[in-house]
Amino acid sequence: MGRSRRTIPEELLLLALDPTTGTTAQPQSLDLGLAGAQLVELALAGRIAPDGDRIAVVMPRPTGDPTLDSALELLRRRGSPVRAVHWIGGPRLGLRQTYLSHLERCGMVHAVAGQMCGVLPTTRYQATDTAISREIRARLDSAIRTGVPPDPRTAALAALAHAVGLGKHLYPGNEGRSSRSRLRDLIRHDPMGGLVAHAVMDVQNGVAAQPRRERAAAPAARATASGVPLQPRRGAPMARAGAAH
């Protein structure tokens, strides 16, 4: 895989970066989204494929992207297809920081050292070229505004942005309500992106931890062939980020 094209994990992280504060929106769920974005990128590269609600390695050849290849190797070592919800909710410490450091090496962001309360050291990340972030955002805006089915990469990015809760960051307030709704609806345009996005929401709602019989009755398991997106249940317990990463 050449480096002329940004990967979906990179684009998801750039979407989440606040240009003013240099912090990432939705940091807890974003970690889950990055793990899911790796699956989508590997599927687009022909390395993995969905097998029901599981993920199977179909071509173990490396992509040339070290971060993706690490995930591919972990999947290969499993030896059998793994449920998407278990992969996304599994322990994978520091994935967000790994991608921030990767973007810094690629020159897409730069680190800004600071302090919290004048004592604790902190690091913020500012986009080096804001035109890149604007281009990514423009693709989502175009898909939302025109209603034309987006390309698979944009559809998957939209699905993941919705799943991790970036809708309220990208389209805030009452005036952004219709855009958030249309962002959610884009989930139906990419089967792999939809599978992964539902898995991300299931992990946040604690579905992955439920006994098998309860999971079989969960709404996510009853998703229809029409691809209509399911919404996180109100009042459902949120998975703690520390338990997933």
Side-chain angles (χ1 to χ4, degrees):
M1 177 183 296
R3 290 303 303 147
S4 60
R5 182 175 63 190
R6 295 180 300 272
T7 65
I8 294 176
E10 292 167 3
E11 293 197 329
L12 183 65
L13 187 49
L14 286 171
L15 268 182
L17 269 180
D18 189 306
T20 302
T21 65
T23 59
T24 53
Q26 303 297 110
Q28 295 179 353
S29 55
L30 182 61
D31 289 346
L32 304 177
L34 289 172
Q38 287 185 316
L39 294 181
V40 177
E41 191 65 49
L42 287 170
L44 289 171
R47 284 0 185 231
I48 64 175
D51 181 6
D53 66 345
R54 296 175 183 268
I55 303 297
V57 175
V58 295
M59 184 190 298
R61 180 166 56 87
T63 66
D65 181 302
T67 311
L68 289 175
D69 289 340
S70 176
L72 180 62
E73 177 61 14
L74 289 174
L75 286 166
R76 187 193 65 80
R77 289 178 184 176
R78 295 290 184 98
S80 60
V82 59
R83 292 187 71 228
V85 71
H86 286 163
W87 170 261
I88 290 169
R92 213 167 294 101
L93 295 174
L95 189 58
R96 181 162 30 108
Q97 185 57 51
T98 295
Y99 269 104
L100 284 168
S101 299
H102 170 72
L103 289 177
E104 185 179 17
R105 288 193 301 271
C106 293
M108 284 190 266
V109 303
H110 67 275
V112 179
Q115 288 185 330
M116 181 182 295
C117 302
V119 178
L120 299 176
T122 62
T123 303
R124 298 179 293 111
Y125 291 86
Q126 300 283 355
T128 303
D129 185 355
T130 56
I132 296 176
S133 298
R134 289 198 302 269
E135 182 272 328
I136 298 170
R137 173 67 179 271
R139 281 165 38 214
L140 289 187
D141 290 345
S142 177
I144 287 173
R145 184 179 63 256
T146 64
V148 176
D151 63 274
R153 301 184 70 82
T154 302
L157 180 62
L160 287 161
H162 165 68
V164 303
L166 286 184
K168 60 187 178 183
H169 167 71
L170 299 171
Y171 308 104
N174 288 333
E175 63 276 14
R177 184 178 302 171
S178 61
S179 293
R180 292 195 298 272
S181 177
R182 288 193 290 271
L183 178 70
R184 177 198 65 209
D185 291 343
L186 290 176
I187 200 171
R188 72 182 67 203
H189 291 295
D190 180 64
M192 184 65 181
L195 168 67
V196 169
H198 283 302
V200 169
M201 290 187 285
D202 281 351
V203 173
Q204 293 180 80
N205 290 335
V207 174
Q210 294 177 7
R212 183 176 299 273
R213 285 186 199 141
E214 291 183 30
R215 286 201 308 265
R222 300 198 303 268
T224 64
S226 64
V228 175
L230 299 176
Q231 298 303 302
R233 299 189 305 274
R234 291 191 178 183
M238 298 293 286
R240 292 175 56 194
H245 296 274

